[in-house]
Amino acid sequence: MRLKVAFYPKNGTFERSNKHAIQGFIYNMLKGSEYGERHDEPRFKFFTFSDFFLDSMGRPTLLISSPEKGFINTLYGAIKDKERVYIGRHELIVAELKRFKLPLRRVFQTGSPIVLYRNAQENEYFKLHQHRDLRFFLQRLKENAEKKYEAFYGEDFLLEEPIFDRLIPKLRNNGKLDVYVKVVKNGVPFPVIGSNWELLEKERIRPEERRFYRFIMDAGLGEKNSLGFGFLNPIRR
């Protein structure tokens, strides 16, 4: 399930917020609810959000997705009566708030970079441009998604085939494949490295796999989903 939040900047200019600030805004909206302790729970958070983008009316817009309907409904209820909110230091006027579900498709593109660790113990991220190992990328992506799915539904699941059959990465203006995102937490910046994708396609989704692909569409792919990484948009082909 998804939530669209469109804003008007109070002073007429918009500055993209740090991902940690957006995460803080979401957790602040959850305070006092059954999800109010989600930030401190030692488990997967089961939500993600897109990078900011301009909608068809030119408004800065954020999409938040989760496989938990109650999570999205709680956010909706917390925001719907507010005329303005704060994301970090920025005061924003709420222009539109909308809950919706998207049909499952076989083709996706990223709305925020996918992040994977090559070596989690050494805090080493997988770098597509440097490592050039799609087999590792797909295998790690599948293992991570299966683990989250099993944690959410409490049942074993094994995808027999690769998670995607066709991939097209999105090149940056400098020709590089990797995206370096600076996240600031408690005043301390740290880089997160990921990759954006024009296309992630599964040729055929079997009936028994539909719930899995709907889950990753809502929960996100890869690591650090609750920091706004791995957001997926289904697209027509």
Side-chain angles (χ1 to χ4, degrees):
M1 193 170 183
R2 302 193 168 206
L3 184 69
K4 173 186 176 181
V5 193
F7 302 97
Y8 293 122
K10 183 184 177 184
N11 59 6
T13 61
F14 175 70
E15 180 181 340
R16 294 183 184 274
S17 299
N18 178 279
K19 281 185 172 292
H20 190 259
I22 299 172
Q23 184 194 62
F25 158 71
I26 293 172
Y27 283 136
N28 187 52
M29 292 297 101
L30 295 171
K31 284 182 179 178
S33 75
E34 62 181 298
Y35 302 98
E37 303 300 320
R38 178 62 56 93
H39 180 268
D40 298 318
E41 293 173 350
R43 65 184 184 106
F44 295 119
K45 312 307 182 189
F46 301 119
F47 76 90
T48 189
F49 53 88
S50 69
D51 290 340
F52 263 109
F53 63 94
L54 299 181
D55 70 3
S56 60
M57 299 178 65
R59 303 174 302 193
T61 301
L62 187 68
L63 295 176
I64 305 167
S65 67
S66 174
E68 294 185 83
K69 182 178 179 181
F71 183 94
I72 295 297
N73 286 339
T74 298
L75 277 179
Y76 176 86
I79 300 172
K80 71 181 179 67
D81 294 325
K82 296 185 182 299
E83 293 184 2
R84 57 195 69 210
V85 298
Y86 284 88
I87 299 182
R89 303 187 310 272
H90 307 294
E91 185 177 359
L92 299 169
I93 300 168
V94 179
E96 181 184 357
L97 185 67
K98 178 183 178 182
R99 290 172 292 187
F100 62 100
K101 290 183 67 174
L102 292 175
L104 178 63
R105 311 241 180 233
R106 297 181 299 103
V107 186
F108 307 88
Q109 61 182 199
T110 54
S112 64
I114 293 175
V115 173
L116 288 172
Y117 281 114
R118 183 178 177 85
N119 188 323
Q121 285 69 36
E122 297 182 7
N123 200 35
E124 178 190 9
Y125 292 107
F126 173 79
K127 304 178 185 70
L128 188 63
H129 190 84
Q130 176 183 335
H131 298 126
R132 296 183 177 274
D133 190 346
L134 279 180
R135 183 174 296 179
F136 175 91
F137 177 82
L138 285 169
Q139 184 61 28
R140 184 60 60 87
L141 202 63
K142 183 173 80 164
E143 291 171 352
N144 178 272
E146 289 170 343
K147 186 177 180 180
K148 286 185 292 192
Y149 178 91
E150 291 174 354
F152 186 78
Y153 284 108
E155 61 185 48
D156 293 337
F157 179 83
L158 179 63
L159 191 66
E160 297 293 340
E161 299 174 345
I163 190 169
F164 297 113
D165 301 308
R166 185 169 177 238
L167 303 85
I168 301 177
K170 183 176 182 179
L171 287 173
R172 298 174 61 198
N173 293 335
N174 60 7
K176 296 293 182 67
L177 296 167
D178 299 307
V179 179
Y180 289 70
V181 180
K182 184 175 74 171
V183 177
V184 181
K185 183 176 181 180
N186 299 325
V188 179
F190 61 94
V192 177
I193 304 168
S195 54
N196 275 314
W197 297 82
E198 294 280 3
L199 181 140
L200 297 165
E201 181 176 4
K202 184 67 177 176
E203 290 182 356
R204 177 173 177 260
I205 298 177
R206 296 181 174 88
E208 64 271 20
E209 298 169 346
R210 290 182 61 83
R211 189 167 72 163
F212 172 78
Y213 280 94
R214 178 168 291 283
F215 172 80
I216 65 172
M217 185 177 78
D218 289 335
L221 278 175
E223 314 275 356
K224 300 186 181 298
N225 300 139
S226 68
L227 258 180
F229 291 98
F231 186 92
L232 287 184
N233 284 312
I235 57 175
R236 293 180 180 271
R237 284 282 291 177

